[in-house]
């Protein structure tokens, strides 16, 4: 038997309903905030992520699915969505259409990581990006949108932590002070952090290694080294969150694993997820568009991890059926009549399924029960002759014989009225 690739999972019908719930809630909320969907390719040039996410990051150094194509061009499976969206924004001159672009996406991302609960190699993200707005209130508004999204899905117990990562003016001097701090604790750092120290000292603050965490205990914080503009921006974000009643904590050590962030960075976690506790993350990236060759355009965005979100969804106990009407023919002539019947029902926007196979009525009914359908139509030789069929309301076990010619309209009207109660009992 050929099995799937490690870390690449099937999403089975029993789970996909929950996935749809998340996707539908996200689309609905994004619509209300004026976002439009963008779909970018899964394969991109490797250079895109080196230049955006950063060459000295875990994602690019260790987690990329990179490969040369047949002509030797260096390609990869996208590890995240923001860089692709920004590339598409620049390449398609979206800024000509509107100075503000609000874009969302959902789709698979790929990272070569150790698969475990809440961590897979192909995983799905739902993300949104706003390009062209530098107002800190936008940061707060988008964080509010995220809290609304989790609220809509009935997911409680999530925590928002925010930080500011500064800008080109204040980050370089902070970087220097961080390097000199960590030089004093050099011997305690892990191999990766020793190597990265000069290239990307902020990464050390993000390292999960126990010794590195201890070594960074007294490290200087970016939030205490912000320039006036960044400091004001951060205060406005906080004020906006308070205005919108979004609770948050400040985590001065959070730096995020991608280099493109400036000013606001955030993470949403949930302790119920265990060790892979981040369910969404993002921030502001005011230099990314320019660095990728576009006009000087600020940006703010986030990505929600779908696998982890689905893990947080309450069990859906309603087990609602997708099928409104299940048509059971008894005999081959009745089968042909039923084929036309399901066609008619579907034309009336009802979902219908024909019960195939020469089986006993009992066995047909067992499947109807299993599918948890609302109505069953039964038609046998007798009914065919009389031009009738038996309609059974499975919810209250009432059944009646109705005219077969008008069965579809009758059911459609009953369902439309939302009562679904059949009157007149015939057994
Ligand atoms: P983590 O710290 O868990 O590795 P990250 O900082 O690498 O997360 P981001 O790049 O910010 O994550 O991606 C945003 C979200 O995507 C995460 O909060 C998480 O929910 C989800 N995510 C990231 N990597 C994976 C993965 N390998 N499997 C499943 N979900 C993931
Ligand atoms: Mg990661």
């Amino acid at each position: 038997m050929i099995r799937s690739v490690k870390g690449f999972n099937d999403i089975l019908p029993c789970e996909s309903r929950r996935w749809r719930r998340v996707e539908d809630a996200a689309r609905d909320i994004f619509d209300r905030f004026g976002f439009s969907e963008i779909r970018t390719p899964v394969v991109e040039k490797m250079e895109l992520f080196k230049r955006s996410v950063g060459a000295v990051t875990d994602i690019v150094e260790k987690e990329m699915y990179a490969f040369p194509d047949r002509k030797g061009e260096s390609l990869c499976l996208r590890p995240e969505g923001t860089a692709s969206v920004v590339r598409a924004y620049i390449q398609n001159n979206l800024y000509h259409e509107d100075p503000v672009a609000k874009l969302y996406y959902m789709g698979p991302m790929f990272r070569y990581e150790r698969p475990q609960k809440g961590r897979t190699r192909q995983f799905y993200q739902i993300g949104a990006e706003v390009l062209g707005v530098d107002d800190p209130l936008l940061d707060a508004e988008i964080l509010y949108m995220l809290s609304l999204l989790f609220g809509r899905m009935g997911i409680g117990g999530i925590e928002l932590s925010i930080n500011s990562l500064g800008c080109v003016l204040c980050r370089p001097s902070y970087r220097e002070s961080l390097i000199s701090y960590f030089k004093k604790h050099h011997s305690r750092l892990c191999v990766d952090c020793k190597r990265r120290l000069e290239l990307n000292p902020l990464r050390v603050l993000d390292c999960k290694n126990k010794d590195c965490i201890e070594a960074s205990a007294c490290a200087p914080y970016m939030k205490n080294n912000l320039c006036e503009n960044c400091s004001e921006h951060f205060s406005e974000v906080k004020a906006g969150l308070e205005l919108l009643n979004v609770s948050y904590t400040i985590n001065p050590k959070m730096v995020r694993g991608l280099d493109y962030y400036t000013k606001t960075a955030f993470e949403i976690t949930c302790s119920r997820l265990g060790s892979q506790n981040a369910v969404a993350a993002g921030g502001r990236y005011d230099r990314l568009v320019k660095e990728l060759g576009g006009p000087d355009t600020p940006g703010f965005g986030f990505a929600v991890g779908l696998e982890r979100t689905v893990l947080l969804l309450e069990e859906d106990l309603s087990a609602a059926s997708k099928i409104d009407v299940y048509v059971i023919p008894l005999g081959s002539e009745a089968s042909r009549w039923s084929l036309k019947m399901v066609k008619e029902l579907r034309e009336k926007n009802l979902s219908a399924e024909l019960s195939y196979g020469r089986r006993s009525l009992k066995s047909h009914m067992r499947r109807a029960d299993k599918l948890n359908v609302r109505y069953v139509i039964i038609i046998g030789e007798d009914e065919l002759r009389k031009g009738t069929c038996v309609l059974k309301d499975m919810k209250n076990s009432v059944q009646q014989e109705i005219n077969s010619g008008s069965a579809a309209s009758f059911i459609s009207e009953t369902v439309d009225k939302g009562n679904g109660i059949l009157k007149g009992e015939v057994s």
Side-chain angles (χ1 to χ4, degrees):
M1 190 195 52
I2 301 170
R3 301 185 62 89
S4 67
V5 179
K6 184 177 174 191
F8 289 67
N9 295 344
D10 300 310
I11 297 144
L12 300 173
C14 60
E15 303 158 280
S16 60
R17 270 240 316 274
R18 293 149 74 81
W19 283 63
R20 274 276 289 276
R21 256 170 70 198
V22 178
E23 291 159 0
D24 291 349
R27 283 185 201 281
D28 187 49
I29 288 193
F30 293 160
D31 280 349
R32 279 205 276 142
F33 280 75
F35 283 79
S36 307
E37 185 175 5
I38 182 164
R39 302 186 186 201
T40 63
V42 162
V43 172
E44 294 275 6
K45 291 183 184 160
M46 180 67 194
E47 191 56 25
L48 175 64
F49 300 101
K50 278 194 183 151
R51 268 171 56 189
S52 54
V53 172
V56 190
T57 55
D58 275 356
I59 293 180
V60 169
E61 282 184 331
K62 300 179 186 166
E63 300 171 359
M64 290 288 266
Y65 276 91
F67 55 95
D69 73 1
R70 288 179 182 273
K71 290 217 167 127
E73 179 152 32
S74 188
L75 304 180
C76 65
L77 302 183
R78 62 179 183 193
E80 60 108 46
T82 305
S84 300
V85 171
V86 170
R87 180 209 39 75
Y89 171 82
I90 299 167
Q91 185 177 335
N92 298 288
N93 302 317
L94 294 188
Y95 43 89
H96 282 331
E97 285 171 26
D98 191 333
V100 177
K102 289 175 145 187
L103 306 166
Y104 80 86
Y105 59 88
M106 32 186 89
M109 307 295 159
F110 305 85
R111 296 184 195 173
Y112 195 85
E113 300 189 82
R114 195 168 68 79
Q116 53 201 287
K117 185 178 170 222
R119 193 178 292 292
T120 50
R121 290 179 173 174
Q122 170 168 331
F123 62 99
Y124 289 74
Q125 285 186 338
I126 296 181
E129 318 287 348
V130 179
L131 296 154
V133 181
D134 60 8
D135 195 318
L137 292 183
L138 183 268
D139 307 20
E141 193 193 0
I142 300 304
L143 289 169
Y144 163 69
M145 178 172 86
L146 262 175
S147 74
L148 210 62
L149 175 60
F150 285 103
R152 165 70 72 86
M153 295 182 292
I155 296 174
I158 57 163
E159 281 168 45
L160 165 68
S161 38
I162 60 170
N163 192 17
S164 176
L165 300 179
C167 67
V168 273
L169 292 179
C170 50
R171 204 174 328 160
S173 60
Y174 169 67
R175 222 176 148 269
E176 289 314 311
S177 56
L178 207 54
I179 293 176
S180 56
Y181 168 85
F182 281 122
K183 274 188 175 158
K184 285 184 231 143
H185 299 80
H186 196 261
S187 59
R188 299 175 70 184
L189 300 181
C190 73
V191 226
D192 270 344
C193 286
K194 277 183 183 140
R195 181 175 53 82
R196 285 168 177 169
L197 184 55
E198 298 282 346
L199 297 164
N200 201 343
L202 270 73
R203 281 280 75 73
V204 184
L205 291 174
D206 197 41
C207 185
K208 305 286 186 288
N209 183 291
K210 197 172 130 277
D211 293 331
C212 296
I213 293 174
E214 278 173 28
S216 58
C218 299
Y221 290 150
M222 183 70 237
K223 81 176 177 76
N224 301 330
N225 290 272
L226 296 173
C227 63
E228 206 181 312
N229 182 281
C230 285
S231 172
E232 205 174 297
H233 187 100
F234 198 40
S235 305
E236 277 291 300
V237 175
K238 290 184 279 185
L241 290 174
E242 277 147 38
L243 206 67
L244 294 167
N245 247 331
V246 177
S247 45
Y248 65 91
T249 54
I250 295 169
N251 175 0
K253 281 183 70 182
M254 181 188 44
V255 297
R256 310 287 306 112
L258 305 90
D259 280 355
Y260 51 64
Y261 289 118
T262 51
K263 295 183 179 164
T264 319
F266 73 89
E267 231 167 45
I268 293 179
T269 54
C270 183
S271 56
R272 276 181 286 142
L273 282 170
S275 52
Q276 314 318 315
N277 66 352
V279 68
R284 181 161 277 287
Y285 46 86
D286 288 345
R287 293 177 52 79
L288 182 58
V289 181
K290 191 154 186 225
E291 268 163 21
L292 290 177
D296 199 353
T297 309
F300 185 92
F302 65 81
V304 176
L306 246 116
E307 284 77 1
R308 295 182 198 176
T309 306
V310 167
L311 284 172
L312 290 173
L313 284 185
E314 294 280 328
E315 196 65 55
D316 186 358
L317 297 172
S318 66
S321 173
K322 292 190 297 285
I323 301 295
D324 297 317
V325 193
Y326 192 64
V327 184
I328 300 177
L330 302 170
S332 51
E333 204 179 323
S335 288
R336 282 191 289 274
W337 177 90
S338 298
L339 186 61
K340 278 177 66 187
M341 187 66 217
V342 286
K343 173 172 178 270
E344 240 182 89
L345 288 162
R346 289 171 191 144
E347 279 165 4
K348 294 207 178 299
N349 274 331
L350 293 166
S351 53
E353 195 175 317
L354 202 166
S355 195
Y356 280 104
R358 278 179 192 279
R359 299 183 270 161
S360 66
L361 178 59
K362 208 168 158 190
S363 143
H364 281 297
M365 287 303 284
R366 260 203 301 275
R367 178 128 202 282
D369 267 334
K370 196 163 173 194
L371 291 177
N372 196 22
V373 300
R374 184 61 210 274
Y375 298 105
V376 170
I377 288 181
I378 304 161
I379 183 145
E381 307 286 318
D382 270 5
E383 288 80 13
L384 265 183
R385 248 194 323 274
K386 286 190 280 177
T388 61
C389 61
V390 173
L391 176 62
K392 182 166 184 180
D393 185 336
M394 298 295 278
K395 203 167 175 181
N396 46 27
S397 288
V398 174
Q399 66 179 49
Q400 69 180 108
E401 199 166 333
I402 58 171
N403 187 316
S404 62
S406 54
S409 322
F410 181 81
I411 298 172
S412 151
E413 275 167 32
T414 315
V415 170
D416 275 351
K417 282 187 205 131
N419 50 21
I421 293 160
L422 293 176
K423 295 177 215 96
E425 209 170 320
V426 176
S427 47

